[in-house]
Amino acid sequence: MPSTISWLQVHTRPTLMIPGPTELAFPVIQAMNQPPAIQYDRSFDEGVLEPTTLALRDVFQTQSEVLIMPGSGRTALEAGALSVIEPGDRVLVVGAGAFGMLMREIMNRVGADMTEFPVEWGARLDLDRLAHEAERLRPKAITLVHNETSTGTTYPAAAVGKIARSVDALFLLDTVSSIAGLDVRTDEWGVDLNMTGSQKCLGAPLGMALVAVSPRAWTAMERRKHGAHSYAYDLLRWREQWVPVSRGGKVPDGTPRRQPISIPTHLTAAMQVATRLILEEGLANRVRRHELAGMALRKGLAAMGLEMFPDSTIYSNTVSCVRAPKDIDPAAVVKRMREVYGILIGTGLDKIRTFTLRIGTMGVTASPHFVLPTLSALELALRDLGYKTEPGAGVAAAQIAFANAM
Ligand SMILES: Cc1ncc(COP(=O)(O)O)c(C=O)c1O
């Protein structure tokens, strides 16, 4: 007789409670179960691609063009950066975590004259100081990570957009872990490039990069002294080959268009369904759902005696970054949760990797159905590793939070 039970034997894969990629709704998975479509066929454009990009405008809360291309969040960030920034252009990068550092790296690679506005990890952004720095530098662009996935924080994008506008700078916003989970108002906030990826709160598979481009950003591209050094990701070429004349491009309306890069048909089909589900739910409801799930998760963590990493005024509702109990290695918690209880969460990143854990509540996982089992598995894993808490306290607190909210 075996002496130990492997709970994992009954699972074929872990449930994804990492901060992306996230779990997919079943209709999104089903949308990919089909033979290959012909990506340049008009029926694909008219039946799938065009309706999806038009519907995505509602998700982005913009009247402007939304481009979808193969890649990931990083592709969107790089395509945006290399399309509007020329070597030597001044750029002010707000760096409040690992993804702020990523933007810094991308700007360095496109040759920007980059100045970082450093923010302590997990801390609030000092808007007055930022406004002062923007005034002093008068940059061509200011970049911000709306939701810093490495620290579980949300930054005030609307206020930074105002600062950018006040110094006539472009506003480049990374919404990789916020779009379709938090309220992201592209036009109202003056976002010139809203850059994101498919695999988080949009609830689509990994593999698509999305960029919403404002009229000001198009103008900046047209005014470049030299063409962008990328063929595939020069967004100005996308506009010329892809966008109809009635929307400011060069393609006569109603005529077939040439894809700037071959668009993955299965991923677009999945995105079409994911977008439909978002709009059927309604953006306001969806944002509220993420708010409740994030709040209930945090209540549960607190009831287990765990402390959040960031400043309590800027908690993200899509990613929670929590300190591991003293003397417990976050990597061991992740391993135990995955191997024994079948739920995958993440450790922190970079300099906070050794003492923090991160849990995503994104798309379908922002619900009691996923949050309660995650708290339960976390408690069990911590108990196995020697941290004792009152049995069920985390789940009970989260359950009360959900019950009171509904
Ligand atoms: C805020 C943020 N920016 C950028 C990225 C990079 O996106 P990707 O992994 O899709 O390339 C991530 C990924 O987690 C992210 O959370």
Side-chain angles (χ1 to χ4, degrees):
M1 289 287 283
S3 57
T4 49
I5 294 171
S6 165
W7 298 115
L8 198 63
Q9 238 164 22
V10 292
H11 307 296
T12 51
R13 56 180 287 276
T15 301
L16 301 184
M17 294 302 288
I18 42 177
T22 191
E23 292 291 325
L24 301 177
F26 194 52
V28 174
I29 298 171
Q30 280 176 310
M32 292 182 283
N33 186 12
Q34 53 179 314
I38 305 159
Q39 88 277 8
Y40 50 79
D41 211 85
R42 205 160 167 174
S43 63
F44 172 67
D45 190 3
E46 291 176 358
V48 185
L49 189 47
E50 179 75 341
T52 305
T53 51
L54 292 179
L56 279 165
R57 292 174 174 210
D58 291 337
V59 176
F60 278 68
Q61 303 188 55
T62 183
Q63 307 284 321
S64 298
E65 206 65 34
V66 178
L67 304 173
I68 58 178
M69 55 186 72
S72 74
R74 271 164 274 214
T75 315
L77 299 177
E78 184 155 71
L82 70 84
S83 297
V84 294
I85 302 301
E86 291 197 75
D89 282 345
R90 262 201 302 269
V91 176
L92 181 57
V93 172
V94 178
F99 294 103
M101 280 160 56
L102 169 66
M103 202 62 207
R104 194 176 72 183
E105 169 77 13
I106 289 173
M107 284 301 173
N108 278 334
R109 282 180 184 250
V110 300
D113 173 4
M114 199 276 308
T115 302
E116 186 184 357
F117 185 84
V119 179
E120 192 190 331
W121 284 35
R124 291 166 62 94
L125 168 61
D126 183 337
L127 287 166
D128 290 338
R129 267 190 50 231
L130 180 67
H132 197 259
E133 187 67 347
E135 187 57 54
R136 186 181 73 78
L137 279 173
R138 291 258 148 195
K140 178 171 182 181
I142 298 180
T143 78
L144 177 74
V145 177
H146 182 208
N147 192 73
E148 190 34 270
T149 320
S150 62
T151 58
T153 48
T154 304
Y155 285 97
V160 175
K162 275 209 188 99
I163 292 173
R165 198 47 66 99
S166 75
V167 294
D168 204 23
L170 294 168
F171 182 32
L172 275 50
L173 188 65
D174 169 336
T175 61
V176 174
S177 60
S178 61
I179 194 91
L182 307 181
D183 193 17
V184 176
R185 304 185 180 193
T186 305
D187 288 358
E188 194 182 311
W189 297 350
V191 181
D192 292 301
L193 292 173
N194 183 346
M195 305 162 292
T196 194
S198 51
Q199 75 276 21
K200 301 192 194 256
C201 305
L202 282 168
L206 172 63
M208 294 291 238
L210 302 89
V211 188
V213 187
S214 78
R216 277 162 35 103
W218 290 129
T219 305
M221 292 180 222
E222 282 165 354
R223 288 191 182 152
R224 292 179 67 109
K225 290 193 222 60
H226 305 284
H229 279 184
S230 164
Y231 172 77
Y233 297 113
D234 173 10
L235 297 181
L236 192 57
R237 189 177 66 86
W238 280 68
R239 178 156 84 150
E240 283 161 10
Q241 283 188 14
W242 191 241
V243 179
V245 169
S246 61
R247 303 209 300 259
K250 295 261 167 67
V251 186
D253 286 65
T255 63
R257 44 188 188 170
R258 251 181 334 125
Q259 288 180 5
I261 317 181
S262 295
I263 303 292
T265 51
H266 285 86
L267 293 177
T268 313
M271 181 66 80
Q272 181 173 36
V273 175
T275 307
R276 195 192 77 219
L277 293 177
I278 294 167
L279 297 177
E280 278 173 7
E281 179 176 10
L283 276 184
N285 289 338
R286 195 171 176 94
V287 168
R288 175 92 181 115
R289 179 161 62 76
H290 283 78
E291 206 175 289
L292 290 181
M295 183 268 290
L297 176 64
R298 292 192 297 270
K299 292 263 189 216
L301 295 170
M304 288 164 63
L306 302 178
E307 260 176 52
M308 300 301 291
F309 170 74
D311 185 294
S312 63
T313 57
I314 52 171
Y315 288 150
S316 161
N317 289 321
T318 63
V319 188
S320 293
C321 182
V322 63
R323 289 176 188 272
K326 199 166 163 296
D327 299 330
I328 292 191
D329 174 15
V333 180
V334 169
K335 186 164 185 282
R336 187 84 192 157
M337 272 183 78
R338 178 182 185 155
E339 290 183 354
V340 183
Y341 302 110
I343 294 185
L344 183 63
I345 64 169
T347 64
L349 295 179
D350 211 282
K351 63 186 181 191
I352 61 172
R353 181 184 295 275
T354 55
F355 62 94
T356 56
L357 291 160
R358 293 176 312 140
I359 304 172
T361 38
M362 298 179 152
V364 293
T365 68
S367 83
H369 182 74
F370 287 90
V371 169
L372 300 176
T374 300
L375 285 164
S376 167
L378 177 60
E379 181 196 309
L380 287 164
L382 289 176
R383 174 165 288 267
D384 295 344
L385 296 167
Y387 177 75
K388 298 284 184 283
T389 167
E390 193 194 330
V395 173
Q399 201 153 301
I400 291 168
F402 277 123
N404 287 345
M406 291 192 277

